[in-house]
Amino acid sequence: MTGRLSGFTTQVKEVASECESTHYVIHREMLASRKMLPELSNILQDVIKIINNIKVHALNSHLFTQLCEEMDTEHIRLLLYTEVRWLSEGRSLARAFKLREPLQRFLLEKQSPLAAHFSDTEWVIKLVYLCDIFNLLNELSLSLQRGMTTVFKLADKVAAFKAKLELWGRRVNVGIFVMFQTLAEILKETEPGPSFSQLVHDHLSQLSKEIEHYFPTTKDPRSGKEWICNPFVNKPGESTLSVLEEDQLLEIANDGGLKSMFETTSNLHTFWIKVKVEYPEIATKALKSLLPFPTSCLCEAGFSAVTATKMRLRSRLDISHTLQVSLSPITPRWDHPVAGKQAQGSH
């Protein structure tokens, strides 16, 4: 698909040289978060072993559910870790931490050596840190999965997270962990070893480097295109525009009517489409940058809809009409077709 010699992207660029290709943002964010220090990676592998030890056996899973019900826990089931599901890592770790007491009790009854982990304070603290950092990564991932967004908005989100990682690293150096909520609560009662702060700092530094690798500053989609996000604050000489495009941009920047329309328009696409009638060259250049799909959330929504639709009691091959209703943002007016039907009378 993306081969540089004969792939789909190469063939498209042969007939449309201005076309640009990109790897969607959410996947790159997920790849950046996968690399971990060995000490933290071992914690993740231990949790996966514990979860699999219970979930893969129906009897163990049933007995563990009963134990959770007896202990009146908030949750009664563990969540399997699946590498291809982006939010799975954080949610599996968080669920395992919340059920740590029934997990330890269950593993002790089974005489499993894995039960010893929950008695190890250092191991539990590292688990809590992983829960918090992956929860923050999941929040970033969810903020990137929005419809009618642009590469500029997503670049803003990633840049903000980069800055946060640097700030968190400096805070950790002086013993401040308030940005990790669960960890901060645990540390009020437990004093970690001297190497823990250095471990967290090293992981944050590694995560920052990985995000920089997948989102390099030199390839920031916002560079030289600030005028697209707001044409009324453009500074002359900052963007690479032709003479005609620069003249049109200056006319837009000094048009009070367009400025009012920009402030009231819900998204950039709509604004530049309206501007295209009067200023076609500069609007076309802006729309080409706004055109690429920055995320695959629409595809993911379609896959989820198919999964929910195709079941044992609903197995039609043609589901086009069902998908249209499932994915449409318009709420169906069920009262109209229902009004034309006669209700069955009671017997």
Side-chain angles (χ1 to χ4, degrees), residues 67-226:
L67 177 61
C68 291
E69 290 174 347
E70 292 173 2
M71 298 180 69
D72 195 23
T73 58
E74 181 182 358
H75 304 285
I76 60 174
R77 290 183 180 85
L78 294 168
L79 298 177
L80 276 173
Y81 167 66
T82 308
E83 191 171 355
V84 296
R85 294 184 180 272
W86 297 325
L87 305 180
S88 172
E89 205 162 23
R91 290 179 174 176
S92 298
L93 288 168
R95 181 64 60 86
F97 173 71
K98 289 180 179 180
L99 296 175
R100 61 190 182 280
E101 293 182 6
L103 276 173
Q104 184 178 22
R105 180 174 168 182
F106 182 84
L107 293 172
L108 284 173
E109 291 177 356
K110 293 291 183 179
Q111 298 181 348
S112 172
L114 296 172
H117 291 309
F118 295 98
S119 301
D120 185 348
T121 304
E122 289 290 330
W123 188 91
V124 173
I125 290 177
K126 292 175 184 177
L127 170 61
V128 175
Y129 166 70
L130 285 179
C131 292
D132 282 339
I133 190 65
F134 278 110
N135 180 55
L136 293 169
L137 286 166
N138 283 355
E139 289 179 2
L140 172 63
S141 180
L142 290 172
S143 69
L144 301 176
Q145 299 181 45
R146 295 178 180 177
M148 294 304 294
T149 188
T150 64
V151 290
F152 304 110
K153 288 183 180 179
L154 301 194
D156 290 341
K157 295 282 186 183
V158 174
F161 195 78
K162 281 183 184 179
K164 285 181 181 179
L165 287 174
E166 295 179 3
L167 175 61
W168 295 343
R170 293 195 297 269
R171 287 177 178 173
V172 168
N173 282 339
V174 294
I176 299 175
F177 294 90
V178 291
M179 52 282 186
F180 307 121
Q181 296 181 359
T182 310
L183 179 61
E185 292 296 323
I186 294 294
L187 293 182
K188 290 179 181 179
E189 305 172 356
T190 307
E191 186 70 25
S195 61
F196 178 71
S197 295
Q198 186 62 42
L199 175 66
V200 174
H201 179 268
D202 291 345
H203 179 247
L204 292 175
S205 299
Q206 183 187 55
L207 184 57
S208 181
K209 291 178 182 178
E210 287 297 307
I211 291 181
E212 177 62 28
H213 172 71
Y214 286 100
F215 300 94
T217 306
T218 55
K219 295 184 179 180
D220 192 330
R222 301 170 299 175
S223 300
K225 297 180 180 179
E226 294 83 356

Side-chain angles (χ1 to χ4, degrees), residues 264-330:
T264 56
T265 303
S266 59
N267 57 69
L268 289 175
H269 303 82
T270 304
F271 171 76
W272 285 108
I273 288 172
K274 292 179 180 179
V275 169
K276 189 177 180 181
V277 177
E278 190 173 356
Y279 305 102
E281 287 77 15
I282 190 67
T284 300
K285 190 175 185 68
L287 289 171
K288 283 182 179 180
S289 297
L290 294 171
L291 183 62
F293 292 99
T295 74
S296 63
C297 63
L298 295 178
C299 295
E300 302 297 334
F303 293 144
S304 298
V306 171
T307 302
T309 301
K310 301 286 283 186
M311 63 177 78
R312 183 173 59 85
L313 301 177
R314 191 189 294 129
S315 57
R316 292 183 58 184
L317 293 176
D318 183 10
I319 58 172
S320 56
H321 296 300
T322 305
L323 276 181
Q324 186 176 4
V325 174
S326 301
L327 300 176
S328 174
I330 302 173

